[in-house]
Amino acid sequence: MNLYALNVTVDTSCLVILLTLFISQSYRRANGRPDWLFSICLAVNMINIFAELMAWMLEGYGSPFLMFLQHVFNAGAYLNAGIAYTVLFVYLLYELNGRGSFTNRDKLLTAVTCVPALILIILAMTNFHTRLLFSFDENYHYVRGPLARIYDTFMFFEQFLLIYAVMRKNEADWKVRVKISVFAIMLMASALLDIIFSDIELTYPATVFVLLMIYLNLLLVAEKQIESTELEIVSGRYNLILGKMRPAFVSFVLEKVEELCLEDTEKAQWTISEFSDYLRGNIDKIDRNELIPFEDEYEHVAHYINLVHLRYENFVFSSDLEITGFQIPVRTILPIAEQYVIAYDSFIYEPKIIKIHTWSRDGMIFVDVSGPSMMEHGNIQKGYELYNYVTARLSIIKGAELSLYCDKNRTAHSVISYPQSSLGGACV
């Protein structure tokens, strides 16, 4: 009776721990960090221990139907044990590989573990006739069969394969290798004790404890590392945005908004809206290099020019769009316009005009952005930086080129050209 109570208590405690972990894992999955393999480990072990617990609860009743249910739950516990240990083995290999793809050796080791698991499943399904795993005495109590400890032997054997995999993974994180080795030794020790003399199922609480340690030492640590990496990416993205936007221009717009709030609230609201659209375009596209509709890039330039009008009221932005509906790499026109405005800021230059002209000829698409020449005023470095930046953006279209020239009116032209049949070059 004491042994019965102890086993029921152990199984109940293990089931509560697994249920708590499963609920916690489900919450983490709802927050966008799925780990289906670990969830399967938890689910299979919950079914395993629940079946074991129900078999203990039904023991000793004199009803043939209840004895049949007890047999079903016992068989289910053995059947799930084969699945649970194999899934746990696969999961630990998955962590050992840094959550990457499996090698051929990993696949072979997994196939080897499937053989005894399949044998255990077959024995569990046929035990009603063979009685090789368990049977019941005249008092309806559980009696071990000649192969009752096969699942403990299977678990013990599996840990050798796991330690072998750890020893061969020299490229894996040494901390993960140490943790998995400790898990394997714990499972091996509990299986060995059950095989030799234990009347209490030590493999169940040992497996639950290992799952708990996996959750605390592998999953939560990995999640913390992901959050840290995401924070670094956001920080780097923020620094990149600040590096691409001129602080003096941003400062001027904010000061202008402050003035307009006192003088013209309607225009202040309009300015805030334009500034918001300009910033949103920078934040969304600053670290991307992809094709977007020309109209989107043109609209982003228009928002920027509208803000420039706050400083230069006689500033002229014109366009001659003979062709639209095509695609262009993101942030290829705006940087050119920004550099032309810098020329206006740095030098007295009249008239203050930036023009965008698009056309197509002989299967080629052309986008000409014209304005004051940076190189004309000796700022050659800025001209080279602009050329290199836009050229890098254009590299995603085969055959795309950027040509720079200055006409007789001392107006600089940055002409983007690429075949209309190239990737992204076709009209949409």
Side-chain angles (χ1 to χ4, degrees):
M1 185 64 182
N2 291 333
L3 182 61
Y4 165 83
L6 181 60
N7 278 293
V8 169
T9 302
V10 170
D11 287 346
T12 303
S13 301
C14 291
L15 191 60
V16 170
I17 294 174
L18 287 177
L19 183 60
T20 303
L21 289 177
F22 188 81
I23 294 174
S24 177
Q25 181 69 6
S26 299
Y27 174 78
R28 292 173 66 251
R29 181 167 62 246
N31 279 277
R33 290 188 174 86
D35 198 333
W36 295 106
L37 194 53
F38 185 70
S39 297
I40 292 173
C41 285
L42 295 174
V44 173
N45 277 279
M46 274 199 299
I47 296 173
N48 194 13
I49 294 179
F50 176 77
E52 173 78 8
L53 178 61
M54 292 303 299
W56 278 109
M57 297 290 290
L58 294 172
E59 186 172 284
Y61 290 93
S63 167
F65 175 71
L66 293 179
M67 187 182 71
F68 172 75
L69 288 181
Q70 185 183 0
H71 185 99
V72 170
F73 282 120
N74 267 308
Y78 277 96
L79 189 150
N80 275 278
I83 300 173
Y85 296 153
T86 300
V87 172
L88 181 58
F89 179 84
V90 172
Y91 179 79
L92 291 174
L93 278 184
Y94 173 63
E95 290 289 351
L96 192 61
N97 284 325
R99 302 190 166 209
S101 58
F102 280 18
T103 64
N104 291 332
R105 183 184 290 109
D106 296 333
K107 295 176 182 178
L108 178 61
L109 291 177
T110 302
V112 172
T113 64
C114 288
V115 174
L118 183 60
I119 294 174
L120 180 58
I121 291 172
I122 293 174
L123 289 174
M125 295 178 67
T126 59
N127 185 76
F128 190 81
H129 300 287
T130 64
R131 304 291 195 273
L132 291 174
L133 295 178
F134 63 90
S135 60
F136 301 95
D137 60 18
E138 63 278 4
N139 296 317
Y140 303 100
H141 288 290
Y142 172 82
V143 178
R144 290 191 181 95
L147 299 180
R149 290 304 181 189
I150 187 173
Y151 71 94
D152 295 318
T153 306
F154 165 41
M155 187 182 195
F156 183 80
F157 162 75
E158 190 179 74
Q159 306 318 308
F160 278 108
L161 298 178
L162 186 57
I163 292 176
Y164 169 77
V166 170
M167 294 176 62
R168 295 299 299 264
K169 292 284 183 179
N170 295 324
E171 71 281 3
D173 186 346
W174 70 272
K175 291 183 180 179
V176 175
R177 294 175 66 193
V178 170
K179 290 176 182 178
I180 292 178
S181 298
V182 172
F183 298 157
I185 293 173
M186 289 174 55
L187 293 174
M188 186 182 296
S190 64
L192 185 61
L193 289 174
D194 277 351
I195 291 171
I196 297 176
F197 56 81
S198 177
D199 289 329
I200 305 171
E201 298 295 341
L202 295 178
T203 51
Y204 286 160
T207 303
V208 172
F209 183 77
V210 166
L211 290 171
L212 179 60
M213 290 299 100
I214 289 174
Y215 183 84
L216 297 176
N217 290 278
L218 294 180
L219 292 182
L220 293 185
V221 170
E223 183 174 307
K224 188 175 181 180
Q225 291 174 345
I226 290 173
E227 291 176 350
S228 177
T229 302
E230 289 176 347
L231 183 61
E232 291 176 0
I233 291 173
V234 171
S235 178
R237 200 163 177 241
Y238 176 72
N239 292 332
L240 183 60
I241 292 169
L242 291 181
K244 291 300 181 184
M245 290 190 299
R246 291 182 294 135
F249 175 72
V250 175
S251 177
F252 166 76
V253 174
L254 294 176
E255 291 175 359
K256 194 66 177 178
V257 168
E258 185 179 10
E259 293 178 10
L260 291 173
C261 286
L262 300 175
E263 301 172 359
D264 188 343
T265 56
E266 186 175 342
K267 189 172 182 181
Q269 292 177 352
W270 174 85
T271 303
I272 292 173
S273 177
E274 290 295 313
F275 190 49
S276 175
D277 290 336
Y278 169 70
L279 291 179
R280 188 181 299 113
N282 276 288
I283 293 172
D284 291 344
K285 302 170 183 176
I286 194 75
D287 57 351
R288 290 160 48 188
N289 192 21
E290 59 188 33
L291 294 173
I292 62 172
F294 165 78
E295 289 78 8
D296 289 354
E297 181 77 0
Y298 181 83
E299 182 181 1
H300 194 196
V301 174
H303 289 308
Y304 172 68
I305 297 300
N306 287 337
L307 295 173
V308 172
H309 278 136
L310 296 173
R311 171 171 290 183
Y312 304 114
E313 294 182 358
N314 60 340
F315 186 88
V316 177
F317 173 59
S318 64
S319 60
D320 181 11
L321 308 181
E322 297 181 17
I323 179 175
T324 56
F326 59 94
Q327 291 186 308
I328 195 167
V330 64
R331 286 188 61 83
T332 47
I333 300 178
L334 179 64
I336 299 173
E338 289 176 331
Q339 293 299 328
Y340 288 161
V341 172
I342 290 175
Y344 289 140
D345 287 342
S346 304
F347 308 99
I348 300 174
Y349 197 100
E350 295 292 347
K352 294 177 171 61
I353 300 175
I354 290 180
K355 182 178 180 180
I356 297 179
H357 179 204
T358 66
W359 72 97
S360 63
R361 185 176 65 245
D362 299 332
M364 297 288 291
I365 292 176
F366 298 89
V367 180
D368 180 8
V369 186
S370 58
S373 173
M374 294 293 294
M375 294 187 181
E376 181 182 348
H377 301 286
N379 200 338
I380 298 177
Q381 182 63 33
K382 284 292 184 181
Y384 282 139
E385 289 177 0
L386 174 64
Y387 178 83
N388 291 332
Y389 179 81
V390 177
T391 300
R393 290 283 182 176
L394 291 173
S395 62
I396 63 173
I397 298 182
K398 186 177 181 180
E401 294 182 352
L402 173 63
S403 302
L404 304 178
Y405 71 93
C406 200
D407 62 22
K408 61 181 180 180
N409 296 320
R410 301 191 306 169
T411 300
H413 292 260
S414 301
V415 182
I416 298 170
S417 62
Y418 55 93
Q420 190 167 347
S421 59
S422 298
L423 176 62
C427 293
V428 293

